[in-house]
Structure formats: C-alpha cells, structure tokens
Amino acid sequence: MNHLFVIFILLLSACNHPHTVDKNYVSIFSRDQGDPSQRFPLYRIELPKGWTIETNHTSVSDTKLPLIECMYTDNTNTIRLTIHNFPYTSLNQRVPLEAQLNRWKQQFELLDSASVTQQSFAGFMGFHLYAEGVIKEENTCVSAWTLQLGPEHQKSLAKNTERNMQIRSDVTIKAIGSKELMERKQSEIYALARSFELLDPLPNP
Amino acid sequence: MNILTTNLFHFLGGVKFAITLITATAFLVIIGTLLESKNNSHLSAAAYIYDSPIFSALLWGFFINILFAALRRWPFKKRHIPFLITHWGLLMILGGMLVKHYYGTQGSMYLMEGSASDQLMVANTRAIHLEQRGIDSAVVTPLDRPQGTAMDLKFKVLKTFPNSSSRFETFIKDDYVVVNEIPPFPLDKPIHTQLDGMDWVLLGKKTEHIEKEFRQFYINHASIALTNDETTINLPLSEALSHPILFEDKIVHLSLNVEEDLDFSFKIIELSVNFGHQTAKISLLEREPFIYQSGDSLMGGIGIQLDVNATPSLLFLQNEHEDIFLFAIGPHGDIATKIYRPESLTSLYSYDQGFGGYSMQSTLSLPKHPRIFEQEIILNKLTEQLKDPSIKVNELTPPLQLLQQACLQVNLSFAEIVVDYLKTWADQGGWLFTKNQKSLNTNLTSVFQAINWTLIPSNVFKGCIWASEMINRIENHAATSKEVLKILNTYQWPFIKKLEDHPFSNKKSFILDSLNQYLFAAAEELPFVNGLDHKDPLSNAFIFSAYCRAYHIHLAHILENLSVNQEIFELNLECPLTTKFKIERLLDKIEDNTPLVLMEIQKGSIKERIALRYDRNAQGMKWPIFGGRYLIRFQPHMMSLPYEVHIRRAKQLSYPNSSQPHKFESDLFVKNKQTNEVVETTISMNQVHETHEGYRLYLASLTPNDESNVKRVQLVVNHDPGKYCLLYPGAIILVIGMLTLLLQYKRIPG
C-alpha cells in the first residue's frame, strides 16, 4: 500500500500548473483626419518595466506626429521610441520600405555602422535597421523597424473604408538614444517593438 | 427459446466470445500495423482497418461481452463488488472510445500571424467551397453525395478520379502562344506586332534544344557594327560568326557564347571578339560599365569597337518538361530571359479577387539606348566632376596636376582634355598609350606639346621614362601574362618569383602594374636616358601614360567607381493562367493521392462543366464559374469551432549563436464565442492548449521558419467529448477495481 502511495505522489508531481505573468499592455489609438474624436484603439504594445509613455490625445492627422512615444530615462540619457503609421488610399501613396531605411541612414551626419535584417511578426513584415553614428554632433544609435502588413492581409483589406485604411497602414517604430544606453537596453527595445500588434485580429485570408 | 436465449446470454458474456474478440482484434491490428509500415501511411491503415465497420463491430462486441459478463453474476453479492467495479471501469473506457469514434473532432486550422478564425478543416473529407461576387461570406458544402445544392446552384459529380496531377499553363497552350491583347498565334509561325509602341517579332516553338533554338534565332535577327576611328563595317551576325572578318590589316574572330546555369537558366550570353592578340567580351544579358572590355578589364579596350543591333523579338520556347523559356531581344541586341515552370508560378495576378480569373504577369527590362550612349553619359559625368570649381589643384593627383598646368598654358579645358585622353587611351587598348600619330587630335597635341616635365621631380621623370620604355618593349613581344613572365625571367628580373606565385599572376595588367611600381620605386638608382625629344607630343602622351598608371589613373579604374542610371524600357507581358490536369495511377499511400472531380454545375437553365483538383489545405486558388459570378474550390469540409483562435505571434527559437531551430512556438488568444472569455496562451511542439470543453490545440507546423514573410501556422485541433465523463473516470474506476480484486484474492487463505 505504501508503494502505491509513493507511485501516486510521483505521478502527481509530474503535473505543473501554467504560471501567468502580468503584462503591461498599452493600447495605441489610430490616426485621425483632423478630428481627434475619430481616433479608435488600433494597436497594442507590451511596455517593459521602467518605461513611460506619452500619448498624444490631440489630432495626429499629420503623419510626422507619432501615435505614441515611449521613453526610458537613465540618470542623464533618454531613449525615445516612437510609433508612426501611414494610412493610404492608393498604392502610390505608400513609401517603399527601402526608402524609409535610406531616409533613416541619411539622418546621420556620420554613419559608423548599419545593419539591416528582415523582420516578420504579428502579421507585419519588413526590415529592422540598427545603426550607429553621429547625429547633431552626438554619438547616437538608432534601432528602427519599417513594417507593412503581409500581402495576403493587404488583399483582404483592399476595400477603402476608414477602418481598413487605418488597419492596413504601413508602420514605423523607431528608437533613438545614446549609444551606450541603447546598447544596454537593446533587448528591451527589441521586445517592445516585437510586441507591437493590431488590437483586433485580421480575417484569416 | 428460453434455453437458446440463456445460451446466447452466456456465450456473449463468456470467455469463448472474449477470446474470439481478442483474437480477431489482434489479427486486425497486426494487419493494420503491417499496412501502415508497408505504405508508410497511417491513413491507409485507418481507412482499411481502424475506421472499418468490422473494427467498430469488434468494439461493440467487447462492450457487450464485458456488460454481459458482469450481468451473468446477477443476483450480485458482496464478493462481486471488485469484479463489478473493474467491469464498470472497462465499460466506461469502451464507451468513451465509441463516443470519440462517432462524435469526436479532428482537424486542422491554417492561420496567418495576426489573423483569427473559428473554422476547422476536417481532415479527409470532401466539400465544395463557393463564393458569390458581391457577397462576403462563403459556403462550404459537403460533397458526400453525387448531387447537391449550394447557394442558388445545383451541382452534380460526373466523375471522380482518385489521383491526379496538375500543371500551370502560361504562354504556350497546346499549339498556340497566348499573350493578352494579341490574338493567339500558332507555334512555329512568326508574327509581327506592336507592343508598348514598338514593332516586335514574336515566335513560339516546342523544342528539346532550347539553347540551340535561341542561338539560331538570335544569329538570324542580329547584326554587328565593327568600328575604330576611321573604319566601320556592318554585318549580319550570321555572316560575322561564319568566317573571320578582315578589318583594316587585322583579322577579327567573333563567337557567341551561351552558358546555362545548374537550374537551366542562362547565366552567360555574350559576344566574344578576338582582334589581334586580344579578346573582348560583350555581355548581352547585363551591360557592363566599360563596354569594350577585354578579358583583363584593366588593360582597356582592344583597339576595335563592336556594337550589336537586333530586330526586337520575343521568343517563347517550350521544352519537353513544359518549362517555357522566354527570350526578349532588345533593339540593341540586349537579352532578357525568364523561365516559367509549370509546377510553380513566379508571379500571379488575380482580377477582381479571382472572379475575373487569373493571369501570369511578366516584366522584361531592356536598355533603352545603345551601349555607346551610356558610355557617353558616364564620360560627361566625369567631365562635370572634373569641372567642379571646388576642386583645388593640390587635391589632384600629381599626373593630373601636371596635365592641368599644360592645359592652362595652352588655354584648353582641363576636364575635357583629361576625358579625351583617357577615352582615346582606353579605346586603343594596351597598358600604355600607343605611339600612333592618328591618336592625337589637335587639342591633345597642343597640350602634350606644352607639358613641362621639369615641374615634377627628376627621379619621377626618370621613372616615367624607364617604365614607359621597358613596358612598351615587353608589351610589343608579349600578348599574355605568361609571355610577360617569360620575358622577365629571361632578363632575370629580381622579383619574378614573387610575381609568379601571386594569385593574380594570370592577369597581364597586374604584372605590368607591379613592374611599373618597381621601376618608379627604383628610379633613383637608374641611369638617365638621353636623347629624348621633350617637345614631341606623341612621345609625351606615351610617357605620361606610365605616370598615370603609377597612380592607377585609367578609364577602367574610373568607370568602376562611376555609375550611371541605365535607362530601360519595361515590356509587360501577361497571359491568362490555366491549369492542365492529368489522371494518375492510384498510389498505395493514400496521403499522396490527390483526387479530381469532374462536375456539372447548373444555374437556372445554364449548365457549366468544370474539373477541380482537391485542395488539401484549402489555401489554393478558387476558380471562376458562370462568367465570374461565382468562385469554386474542391477542398475539405469546414466546421465551426465554439472558439475563435487568434494567432498573435509565431516564432522560431534558435540555439544561441546559431540559426538552427530548437523550438517553434506560437502566442494565441483563444476566445470562447459563447461567453466571450479570452484566454492568452502559448503553444509549442510539446505544449498543448486545452480548453474547458476539452478542445486540444497542437502546433503542427510553422512556415516560413525565417523572417522573410508573414508566418503561416498549422494548428491541429482535437476534441474527445467522452474523455472527462467516460474515459478518465473509467480508467480510475478500473484501477480501483483491480486494486480491490487484488486485496480480495490476498484475503483468501492459500
């Protein structure tokens, strides 16, 4: 009988309970066309500990304005991570991914190194640029993503409705900061950017 | 009657029946195992054995046998309790198996990252997927009967073929070439037509010898022009290739080289020109910056220029594997090629999301201007750069500073003189500027007459003279790098061993360059050469070229670093995409068979026939019917799950510092459609998610496994409705029953 009890305990010890971790999800609102009340929750990111956000509640019809700005501040330095989207009605309004990469590279007065890798997550695909150099006479590092939804998703969102326009927008995520701090926070920046996703699922193509 | 019933009751609950069932089951399982191992097919074993009515009957037989064995103990006594508990447990397990057999669910979901669905594709079922233009929702109708209705259509299965294959048909369909916007034309008969505002010759052919056919066609439709400063010869390419050409006092040999790559695409199509001792190659597939390039590009040209012209043509060649090779020949002899293989598509265009049909699109790019035009643009660009007023004299290399002084003296444009000199030198070919009176025009003559060698250190000037004289003598006697090395060996050149062992020892330009550098370095030790006429422009131009070489100044060096945006015209070709089916032999492995159905579909009084090949993953194309009013696809049956699965992220986790995957996982939201409760979970190959109702989600596959595209995830969904109410409790009861039986036997003495 004692043996049976031991076997029973051993069997139960193999079971584990899935543990859950509290995640700090932050919703990001869409871009409006002049009236900020048109904005609706569109994306979501997972904010790492120690990061703060600055949400723009006014109109962001100008695509130069970010949808959200995440910041990490050290004693003296700050990393700014901004997320932009670029709604379009016709294909010729879209900025090619490569052009975006070139634009970022050209922002450096002196470019020490730049590496580009392919990226694909949460239904988006595109490139990640990691570049180091001098911007405004300071040693700066840029870690930036230029993304667009996969062609199958784009196809299923082909109808030109206001909602579809926002959902199918091309997206950029750009983190900029001092070289030293960016290197230290590289994995957090990567995790933050890769946690970016649409709030509502897309129809399965 | 009573005795018969009693006997039957005892037989059904007896050991004999149990042994019969066990033997029969063992026999079937052995056959099933052998079948599975022979065909490497689980589906074959399932279809012939485990899903067969005989196997179901055996399960029912076990159920009856165990039930009756327990009932035979009636009236039950206290000592029967362990026996009854054991049999109760067995009955529950069997009940659970039967419930799963009749009411269980097994299927797959194909989802793209970022999307959600509640549609489960039920494996090994057949259905018709129908979509109507203008209506968003689709209908999936089971195809388990030969006739049926869906939407407002009636369909009838005319014939089913258990296995088939299909191939895409693009530009060549049967004996015709089909290109959109041109009437189809028969093979082997060339036609003349206008495409994108230009006249083209189009020809289609079926052949086993693609390279030979293309070569012949190109030779018949191209011509060449051989030129130097004074003479021009125009010839059809066929004539130029058939015999040597006498150009001035030298012989020109021409050949057309075509090389195929491992995948049978064309990696080299070039014209090779042999003039004197030198050979130049002109790539017809991709233009190079310096057009009259010799084998050793830094040597410059070969003293003769060749250009190609051709009748703009499109050649469609189909080989025995039905691969189509398309060759586009531009007006300047350039060639663009594309291959279309019937098993894979390079580009697909769907009109109106498939309702308007599908087409294959192809864009062929060809240079707009003749080769000489682009070289002129590059040279103009170089002139503009040299004219830049911000360039200071001391920023120029010493040879150019010297030339600039001479230009100032005779009041000529420095930029234009540099380009003129470099161009003349490159066109001559040869490592040094040739002492040929015809080479110098009036401007160059004035400048080189005015060159003042006293402006450079005397040692450098000595270096120029020694290098030019020595290299000129060697060049006159040595056409190849081997011959140069041989001469240097004869003269017992001190660094010969080093040169011979160098990896670039086969390049004449490298050996001459090394020799030039040595001579300049050792100039101080060399005696001065007397008797030179420093006012002879030709001699100065010749010596100056050695000085330029010491600083790597030659048009070939400059062109390597100067690019020009080639102006191209794009020829867009399109053809309707169709498929061709072939009935194949039935394979033993059921999974490898792809059925084909021939169907008749009726809308009102209009009937249409269509052949549809089974799309196992329901991911392929849907074909238009009734003039594009509907789309249809033959695929597995779909069922709605009580959950909506949202694939948030799918990722491949690799070993540290390696691209080798060690784990695939996917983050999901699983939403209960009734309660709207959302569960966030992660599944991987060994981590299954199970819902409260017992739906189990497995991660079966993930493609692509890199970051090149949006990932597609295959989930396998399994639901066993009897698991928690019958199977698991049955197993516990069975264990308890067996333990009580064990204790009961222990208590019996002896």
Side-chain angles (χ1 to χ4, degrees):
Chain A
M1 202 61 189
N2 283 345
H3 292 113
L4 285 172
F5 181 73
V6 171
I7 291 167
F8 190 66
I9 293 296
L10 282 173
L11 280 172
L12 287 181
S13 68
C15 304
N16 67 351
H17 194 270
H19 63 281
T20 52
V21 180
D22 284 338
K23 291 176 177 173
N24 187 12
Y25 286 124
V26 176
S27 295
I28 304 169
F29 282 67
S30 65
R31 201 172 282 286
D32 58 288
Q33 288 183 331
D35 175 10
S37 66
Q38 291 171 335
R39 298 182 68 188
F40 59 90
L42 181 61
Y43 306 109
R44 163 175 49 208
I45 49 165
E46 208 182 304
L47 202 66
K49 266 188 182 166
W51 285 71
T52 55
I53 54 159
E54 217 167 81
T55 314
N56 205 339
H57 292 292
T58 54
S59 171
V60 283
S61 57
D62 181 357
T63 52
K64 283 179 193 155
L65 294 171
L67 300 177
I68 194 170
E69 195 171 336
C70 307
M71 277 180 293
Y72 180 86
T73 310
D74 202 355
N75 296 330
T76 48
N77 296 317
T78 300
I79 297 174
R80 281 180 69 237
L81 185 145
T82 49
I83 299 176
H84 290 75
N85 81 341
F86 304 92
Y88 65 89
T89 45
S90 67
L91 287 174
N92 55 17
Q93 291 172 336
R94 297 178 76 182
V95 178
L97 297 176
E98 289 80 3
Q100 195 68 263
L101 291 175
N102 287 335
R103 196 175 72 82
W104 283 331
K105 281 187 206 170
Q106 280 163 10
Q107 285 171 353
F108 282 90
E109 287 140 24
L110 186 71
L111 186 63
D112 292 335
S113 67
S115 67
V116 175
T117 49
Q118 281 188 319
Q119 295 282 301
S120 152
F121 57 88
F124 290 90
M125 55 189 283
F127 297 103
H128 171 231
L129 169 80
Y130 189 84
E132 288 176 349
V134 178
I135 298 178
K136 290 179 186 163
E137 295 179 358
E138 276 185 28
N139 277 333
T140 311
C141 177
V142 167
S143 187
W145 283 257
T146 172
L147 304 163
Q148 52 182 226
L149 281 174
E152 287 90 347
H153 289 320
Q154 295 276 1
K155 209 170 126 188
S156 64
L157 298 164
K159 226 179 240 175
N160 267 339
T161 63
E162 178 53 35
R163 198 173 172 83
N164 279 0
M165 264 168 60
Q166 291 291 333
I167 297 172
R168 72 187 180 203
S169 303
D170 296 339
V171 173
T172 62
I173 304 170
K174 185 184 175 193
I176 184 165
S178 73
K179 208 172 142 184
E180 180 269 325
L181 187 60
M182 287 285 285
E183 268 173 17
R184 199 148 47 84
K185 288 281 154 190
Q186 198 181 340
S187 59
E188 274 182 24
I189 295 166
Y190 202 76
L192 195 161
R194 302 262 308 190
S195 72
F196 177 84
E197 64 184 330
L198 279 161
L199 211 52
D200 292 326
L202 296 161
N204 196 32
Chain B
M1 185 67 187
N2 264 347
I3 295 166
L4 196 70
T5 314
T6 311
N7 284 346
L8 183 67
F9 177 70
H10 280 280
F11 172 75
L12 290 175
V15 178
K16 281 181 189 167
F17 185 46
I19 289 169
T20 313
L21 288 172
I22 290 167
T23 313
T25 309
F27 180 69
L28 284 183
V29 169
I30 289 168
I31 295 174
T33 310
L34 290 174
L35 209 61
E36 190 165 344
S37 112
K38 185 182 167 243
N39 300 333
N40 189 22
S41 161
H42 173 71
L43 212 57
S44 304
Y48 297 123
I49 305 291
Y50 305 119
D51 289 344
S52 70
I54 298 172
F55 206 78
S56 297
L58 283 173
L59 282 181
W60 279 110
F62 275 114
F63 190 86
I64 290 164
N65 180 251
I66 293 162
L67 178 69
F68 282 24
L71 292 177
R72 272 175 62 186
R73 264 62 179 174
W74 184 262
F76 301 136
K77 293 185 176 128
K78 197 183 168 188
R79 64 189 165 87
H80 289 143
I81 290 174
F83 179 85
L84 289 173
I85 293 173
T86 312
H87 280 64
W88 181 32
L90 283 170
L91 283 176
M92 284 179 77
I93 291 170
L94 276 168
M97 285 165 70
L98 288 165
V99 166
K100 187 187 177 188
H101 184 75
Y102 292 108
Y103 303 104
T105 307
Q106 170 114 22
S108 298
M109 295 179 91
Y110 289 90
L111 289 154
M112 290 197 78
E113 243 186 333
S115 66
S117 174
D118 64 348
Q119 291 297 302
L120 180 74
M121 208 171 65
V122 188
N124 310 312
T125 53
R126 294 179 186 188
I128 290 295
H129 172 109
L130 274 168
E131 277 174 43
Q132 195 173 351
R133 190 197 280 267
I135 297 172
D136 278 344
S137 58
V139 170
V140 179
T141 311
L143 201 65
D144 43 12
R145 273 172 288 175
Q147 288 190 40
T149 54
M151 290 184 162
D152 54 345
L153 304 175
K154 284 182 191 169
F155 59 85
K156 191 156 84 177
V157 176
L158 299 175
K159 202 157 186 180
T160 306
F161 303 94
N163 191 21
S164 64
S165 61
S166 74
R167 297 167 81 80
F168 290 112
E169 283 186 320
T170 53
F171 289 104
I172 296 182
K173 299 181 201 292
D174 295 325
D175 294 327
Y176 283 84
V177 177
V178 182
V179 181
N180 280 9
E181 295 172 20
I182 303 171
F185 60 94
L187 295 177
D188 300 315
K189 286 183 183 159
I191 64 153
H192 294 258
T193 190
Q194 272 231 334
L195 289 170
D196 286 352
M198 195 186 283
D199 289 324
W200 291 79
V201 173
L202 275 68
L203 175 68
K205 240 178 177 169
K206 286 186 182 178
T207 174
E208 287 178 21
H209 311 286
I210 300 290
E211 190 233 307
K212 199 176 145 192
E213 283 291 343
F214 158 72
R215 181 189 284 272
Q216 200 51 51
F217 184 88
Y218 189 78
I219 290 170
N220 291 341
H221 289 81
S223 63
I224 56 144
L226 288 169
T227 51
N228 66 3
D229 288 342
E230 294 179 347
T231 317
T232 300
I233 295 180
N234 287 301
L235 281 173
L237 185 60
S238 53
E239 205 179 306
L241 290 172
S242 61
H243 55 77
I245 308 154
L246 184 67
F247 188 85
E248 295 187 335
D249 54 344
K250 286 185 185 164
I251 298 290
V252 181
H253 291 274
L254 218 72
S255 62
L256 177 65
N257 310 326
V258 182
E259 256 183 56
E260 281 174 87
D261 215 338
L262 290 175
D263 63 350
F264 303 106
S265 59
F266 289 86
K267 68 172 179 185
I268 293 175
I269 306 178
E270 64 185 16
L271 271 174
S272 179
V273 194
N274 191 286
F275 183 62
H277 292 295
Q278 296 190 77
T279 305
K281 283 173 179 160
I282 297 176
S283 171
L284 300 170
L285 279 178
E286 198 178 338
R287 285 192 182 178
E288 282 157 6
F290 189 33
I291 58 170
Y292 308 117
Q293 215 164 60
S294 65
D296 184 348
S297 63
L298 295 181
M299 290 296 296
I302 59 167
I304 188 173
Q305 296 177 356
L306 181 139
D307 210 354
V308 194
N309 288 303
T311 315
S313 315
L314 287 173
L315 181 64
F316 302 85
L317 298 178
Q318 189 179 50
N319 68 8
E320 66 276 26
H321 306 296
E322 293 181 23
D323 298 333
I324 295 174
F325 293 74
L326 170 58
F327 296 91
I329 302 167
H332 308 294
D334 303 279
I335 298 160
T337 69
K338 288 255 163 105
I339 305 176
Y340 309 95
R341 305 202 190 272
E343 64 274 14
S344 61
L345 291 172
T346 47
S347 72
L348 172 75
Y349 191 83
S350 65
Y351 284 99
D352 197 9
Q353 296 187 322
F355 285 100
Y358 300 93
S359 75
M360 243 283 309
Q361 279 194 336
S362 209
T363 304
L364 295 139
S365 306
L366 290 163
K368 215 172 188 173
H369 302 293
R371 286 168 182 76
I372 195 76
F373 181 81
E374 271 157 23
Q375 186 153 303
E376 290 301 327
I377 291 175
I378 296 181
L379 293 175
N380 286 340
K381 201 172 165 181
L382 179 62
T383 314
E384 289 308 312
Q385 281 186 8
L386 288 165
K387 277 181 180 171
D388 186 349
S390 65
I391 298 176
K392 295 182 184 110
V393 179
N394 56 8
E395 285 174 354
L396 294 170
T397 53
L400 295 185
Q401 281 182 33
L402 183 67
L403 197 67
Q404 198 189 35
Q405 286 295 329
C407 291
L408 278 172
Q409 218 177 325
V410 292
N411 208 15
L412 283 169
S413 160
F414 163 68
E416 278 162 21
I417 288 294
V418 172
V419 173
D420 198 2
Y421 175 69
L422 292 176
K423 166 90 171 54
T424 312
W425 180 13
D427 284 350
Q428 287 176 340
W431 208 75
L432 292 172
F433 193 91
T434 312
K435 281 195 219 173
N436 180 354
Q437 196 61 56
K438 294 175 201 162
S439 308
L440 286 191
N441 57 29
T442 329
N443 287 350
L444 286 177
T445 306
S446 324
V447 171
F448 281 103
Q449 212 158 22
I451 213 152
N452 183 1
W453 291 110
T454 58
L455 292 174
I456 62 169
S458 63
N459 284 341
V460 176
F461 183 51
K462 254 200 291 179
C464 291
I465 291 170
W466 272 95
S468 55
E469 282 305 320
M470 201 162 159
I471 291 172
N472 186 41
R473 280 186 200 184
I474 292 173
E475 262 212 294
N476 285 342
H477 296 94
T480 63
S481 60
K482 265 188 186 173
E483 285 167 359
V484 177
L485 287 171
K486 205 174 157 187
I487 293 172
L488 290 177
N489 244 324
T490 321
Y491 285 116
Q492 296 181 333
W493 183 252
F495 306 107
I496 186 73
K497 184 79 185 109
K498 216 172 163 188
L499 285 175
E500 278 174 341
D501 294 343
H502 199 279
F504 293 149
S505 63
N506 60 342
K507 286 205 176 261
K508 189 178 165 186
S509 66
F510 169 75
I511 298 167
L512 295 180
D513 187 44
S514 306
L515 186 61
N516 197 42
Q517 301 296 338
Y518 288 137
L519 287 166
F520 269 89
E524 206 172 340
E525 310 299 324
L526 298 169
F528 205 85
V529 182
N530 291 317
L532 285 172
D533 178 7
H534 299 321
K535 288 288 167 200
D536 175 26
L538 203 58
S539 180
N540 282 346
F542 163 68
I543 297 167
F544 185 73
S545 65
Y547 193 24
C548 286
R549 281 291 192 182
Y551 286 88
H552 291 141
I553 299 170
H554 186 272
L555 195 60
H557 283 293
I558 295 163
L559 291 181
E560 268 181 353
N561 303 311
L562 268 182
S563 64
V564 63
N565 285 337
Q566 198 175 60
E567 274 192 72
I568 53 163
F569 69 87
E570 288 186 337
L571 182 67
N572 293 305
L573 293 178
E574 199 176 321
C575 69
L577 188 75
T578 46
T579 47
K580 195 176 177 181
F581 300 113
K582 192 179 166 195
I583 308 305
E584 302 282 357
R585 177 180 71 83
L586 183 68
L587 302 171
D588 291 336
K589 187 175 178 179
I590 291 182
E591 290 92 327
D592 290 345
N593 291 313
T594 308
L596 179 84
V597 285
L598 181 63
M599 295 182 73
E600 186 180 82
I601 301 159
Q602 189 175 350
K603 180 180 167 63
S605 58
I606 309 162
K607 286 180 182 173
E608 200 171 300
R609 281 186 181 189
I610 187 167
L612 295 167
R613 195 161 173 260
Y614 190 59
D615 183 349
R616 205 177 299 281
N617 299 329
Q619 301 286 310
M621 285 186 279
K622 291 165 252 177
W623 295 96
I625 50 172
F626 292 108
R629 272 177 285 175
Y630 299 87
L631 284 178
I632 191 166
R633 183 169 62 197
F634 178 31
Q635 61 169 64
H637 187 42
M638 308 295 280
M639 65 171 277
S640 286
L641 286 175
Y643 297 93
E644 188 184 70
V645 183
H646 173 187
I647 302 281
R648 298 173 60 208
R649 248 174 291 278
K651 54 202 166 207
Q652 173 194 301
L653 304 174
S654 303
Y655 287 104
N657 303 321
S658 156
S659 59
Q660 199 185 354
H662 83 95
K663 196 179 180 187
F664 296 97
E665 64 175 41
S666 183
D667 298 335
L668 316 176
F669 280 137
V670 182
K671 182 178 159 189
N672 187 320
K673 289 199 293 188
Q674 265 190 337
T675 61
N676 281 334
E677 183 202 359
V678 178
V679 175
E680 185 181 347
T681 185
T682 299
I683 60 168
S684 63
M685 291 298 186
N686 301 315
Q687 196 179 336
V688 177
H689 174 75
E690 184 164 347
T691 66
H692 292 308
E693 283 82 1
Y695 284 87
R696 289 169 71 83
L697 308 179
Y698 304 81
L699 179 64
S701 71
L702 191 159
T703 48
N705 56 15
D706 57 15
E707 302 261 310
S708 60
N709 208 338
V710 174
K711 290 175 202 82
R712 195 179 282 273
V713 170
Q714 185 194 2
L715 296 180
V716 169
V717 183
N718 184 307
H719 180 226
D720 180 359
K723 192 164 68 180
Y724 290 112
C725 54
L726 291 168
L727 202 68
Y728 288 175
I732 293 167
I733 291 167
L734 178 66
V735 171
I736 294 168
M738 285 163 74
L739 287 172
T740 49
L741 270 176
L742 201 72
L743 291 171
Q744 190 185 39
Y745 281 121
K746 269 193 171 178
R747 264 189 262 130
I748 298 168

